[in-house]
Amino acid sequence: MSTENEGNAVPPAPSAPPVPVASPAPPQGDAGATAQLPPVPSGPPEQHPYGPGPTQTYGAPEGSWPPPPPPGTPGYGEAGAVGAGGGWGASYQQPAPKPAGGGRGGLIAAVLVAALVAGGLGGGLGYTLAKDNDGQGSTTVSAADNGASQVKRAPGTIAGVASRALPSTVTIEAESNSGEGGTGTGFVFDTQGHIVTNNHVVAEAVGGGKLSATFPDGRKYAAEVVGHAQGYDVAVIKLKNAPSDLKPLSLGNSDQVAVGDETIAIGAPFGLSNTVTTGIISAKNRPVASSDGSSSSKASYMSALQTDASINPGNSGGPLLNASGAVIGINSAIQSTSGGSFGSGQSGSIGLGFAIPINQAKYVAQQLIKSGKPVYAKIGASVSLEESTDGAKITDQGAGGADAVESGGPAAEAGLKPGDVITKLDDSVIDSGPTLIGEIWTHKPGDKVKVTYTRGGDQHTVDLTLGSRVGDS
């Protein structure tokens, strides 16, 4: 599960600048009002490279499912993984003891002092005007409001979409038995209390941990994991004692999304719940392999929607909406350039966010609600996960000495053999094993696909029907 500030001391809250001499004194008892600002760093933060070199490998073949995480890919987990390409989730940790002036008093005091300074200036000006006009016999007549100050937002505006969607999003807190955990986001899937989110958001709570979901109006419910799919990075949780007024978000059609379409993301970046950001779809069918960067992590693969809407750790599992307010994706991963900022070990948004297409996520969620286990489409062949631009090569041998091409499986029935290099799946170009896996998983078992491959320098095309595999192991 993703963590923020895990193992790090809580940074001190920013303190307020001193009160200007000419300004009215702050109210008595405001402990943080006269604290000094911390020194400003003299230079830019240290930058770290990201992304693997051209010869770096992803890991073991598909046959050893679940495969290990491909290094250098957008990460979504622990702080240490962010340098490898992105971080997800806001941290969960026990609150640090409050300082004498209050844990967040410095920040609050800064706001109060600013208000007092502005108030002092306004008050002084008002007094001067009143003094100058005293005895002049003049009067001030206020114009009638006539409703001009009552701003109405049309349903199609971003504000209108956000006002309808926010009540159906939740901030999720997951905690393991050992007390480790993090926060993420989810959204209402049905009136029975099912919430859809990312697998890595709730992973810490699987197997007896604690899980809760909080709505924007403050209502908080205990929850339980109904099912989780590590390979898809999708999970479904269910609220305990779910309220009767749940309003599921409408689901769009991610196949109809076009580059340039407007997007709206909702989540809890760095723990700041109910945050709304906007952008566009900047690319489609982006092959993404992500993990939390730990030694035991297993990769998730997606043919993602790419968006430049600001997405940060804590947005994981939140909805990516279109301009009409329909869910088109689940925010899942980011690409980042450095190892962290904001006093944490996690990176922030650089405008490269990735979402699981909702058509795929809907199918996975329905399977998890039905049986508690994910169902994956497969071709029945092990492919190399080495980074490549030539295609997905069927390995000479599968995991544990098994056959690389499963006997009687879809690939065998289509005549594929070890050494064949798959270059296209239907109309999608395949440049590597992870790309092939992500594309296969956008389909359902039983779907018929056209596979283009090369053998001995010659190109061939065959049709095959995808098989199925139940579970992550």
Side-chain angles (χ1 to χ4, degrees):
M1 182 59 203
S2 48
T3 59
E4 177 190 5
N5 291 331
E6 184 175 352
N8 298 326
V10 177
S15 53
V19 180
V21 176
S23 303
Q28 295 298 320
D30 187 355
T34 58
Q36 297 294 317
L37 283 170
V40 177
S42 58
E46 182 181 357
Q47 298 297 314
H48 302 280
Y50 69 98
T55 59
Q56 207 161 350
T57 63
Y58 279 101
E62 180 187 2
S64 59
W65 174 258
T73 57
Y76 54 64
E78 296 185 359
V82 179
W88 279 107
S91 69
Y92 178 91
Q93 60 184 32
Q94 296 297 325
K98 292 185 178 181
R104 294 166 64 181
L107 178 59
I108 296 173
V111 176
L112 290 177
V113 170
L116 288 171
V117 172
L121 176 61
L125 180 60
Y127 172 77
T128 302
L129 292 176
K131 182 176 181 297
D132 291 343
N133 290 327
D134 189 25
Q136 301 299 318
S138 61
T139 59
T140 301
V141 179
S142 298
D145 188 316
N146 293 329
S149 64
Q150 299 177 6
V151 180
K152 294 182 179 180
R153 274 88 179 180
T157 62
I158 293 172
V161 170
S163 67
R164 296 194 308 274
L166 275 168
S168 296
T169 62
V170 295
T171 298
I172 298 172
E173 294 182 6
E175 181 181 348
S176 68
N177 290 326
S178 63
E180 296 180 350
T183 64
T185 308
F187 61 91
V188 177
F189 188 69
D190 59 28
T191 57
Q192 284 73 50
H194 290 109
I195 304 292
V196 173
T197 185
N198 281 143
N199 171 72
H200 72 264
V201 168
V202 303
E204 294 287 359
V206 173
K210 296 180 181 178
L211 194 65
S212 66
T214 304
F215 286 85
D217 61 7
R219 291 181 297 170
K220 186 174 183 177
Y221 298 88
E224 60 185 354
V225 177
V226 172
H228 59 104
Q230 197 282 324
Y232 289 122
D233 196 20
V234 173
V236 175
I237 67 175
K238 187 175 183 180
L239 304 179
K240 297 180 179 179
N241 301 315
S244 59
D245 60 348
L246 292 176
K247 295 182 179 179
L249 289 181
S250 60
L251 305 183
N253 185 344
S254 51
D255 290 341
Q256 296 179 352
V257 171
V259 173
D261 282 352
E262 292 181 309
T263 58
I264 301 170
I266 299 179
F270 295 99
L272 301 174
S273 300
N274 315 317
T275 295
V276 177
T277 55
T278 65
I280 62 168
I281 293 293
S282 48
K284 292 179 60 179
N285 304 316
R286 184 70 75 192
V288 174
S290 58
S291 74
D292 64 10
S294 65
S295 59
S296 60
S297 176
K298 299 162 186 174
S300 298
Y301 298 93
M302 69 185 90
S303 181
L305 297 175
Q306 180 180 310
T307 181
D308 66 349
S310 182
I311 297 174
N312 288 285
N315 275 104
S316 284
L320 184 68
L321 310 172
N322 62 18
S324 299
V327 182
I328 55 174
I330 301 177
N331 301 316
S332 183
I334 59 172
Q335 181 72 53
S336 188
T337 60
S338 65
S341 58
F342 307 106
S344 75
Q346 293 181 323
S347 301
S349 171
I350 59 170
L352 291 174
F354 306 99
I356 303 166
I358 195 59
N359 289 8
Q360 176 183 358
K362 177 183 177 181
Y363 164 74
V364 177
Q366 291 172 335
Q367 290 294 325
L368 293 176
I369 293 172
K370 180 180 179 180
S371 67
K373 296 182 179 181
V375 179
Y376 297 90
K378 69 173 186 177
I379 64 170
S382 295
V383 295
S384 172
L385 298 182
E386 293 183 358
E387 187 171 311
S388 170
T389 58
D390 298 328
K393 182 179 180 180
I394 298 179
T395 57
D396 294 328
Q397 192 174 59
D403 292 336
V405 179
E406 177 186 327
S407 178
E413 293 292 329
L416 293 173
K417 299 179 180 180
D420 290 345
V421 179
I422 299 174
T423 57
K424 291 182 72 174
L425 188 74
D426 288 333
D427 294 327
S428 298
V429 176
I430 303 300
D431 59 7
S432 66
T435 299
L436 176 63
I437 296 172
E439 284 296 327
I440 290 173
W441 287 355
T442 64
H443 293 79
K444 301 174 184 177
D447 284 354
K448 293 183 178 180
V449 296
K450 187 181 297 292
V451 175
T452 302
Y453 66 96
T454 60
R455 178 188 296 170
D458 297 326
Q459 181 172 292
H460 308 273
T461 300
V462 295
D463 294 325
L464 62 78
T465 301
L466 296 173
S468 67
R469 189 193 76 239
V470 179
D472 278 319
S473 58

